[in-house]
């Protein structure tokens, strides 16, 4: 909600399925950045933010996502 309020387009994949399928979906839609929250991220309190163009992946907390996305554009 916070990202939407800041003007970012946000989508949540509609079902629990393999990560590869979700990333393929994002690629097909031309989505630039994806947030990955798997078991490791849940345990560490971090979110993996992945740039789909470069493959770069950044670990951050929820508060850091907006800052990273603002500087990326």
């Amino acid at each position: 909600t916070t990202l939407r309020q800041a003007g970012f387009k946000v989508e949540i994949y509609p079902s629990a399925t393999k990560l590869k399928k979700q990333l393929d979906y994002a690629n097909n839609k031309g989505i630039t950045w994806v947030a990955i929250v798997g078991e490791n991220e849940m345990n560490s309190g971090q979110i993996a933010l992945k740039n789909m163009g470069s493959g770069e992946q950044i670990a951050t907390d929820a508060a850091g996502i907006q800052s990273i996305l603002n500087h990326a554009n």
Side-chain angles (χ1 to χ4, degrees), residues 32-62:
T32 309
W33 288 90
V34 297
I36 302 168
V37 185
E39 185 177 343
N40 292 339
E41 290 79 16
M42 293 292 285
N43 290 335
S44 69
Q46 296 282 297
I47 296 167
L49 203 59
K50 180 177 178 109
N51 181 309
M52 297 299 286
S54 70
E56 174 188 19
Q57 194 163 305
I58 303 166
T60 186
D61 59 13

Side-chain angles (χ1 to χ4, degrees), residues 15-33:
S15 63
T17 187
K18 295 195 181 285
L19 181 60
K20 179 174 179 0
K21 185 173 181 179
Q22 295 177 45
L23 295 176
D24 287 344
Y25 173 85
N27 266 331
N28 291 336
K29 290 201 70 172
I31 294 171
T32 309
W33 288 90

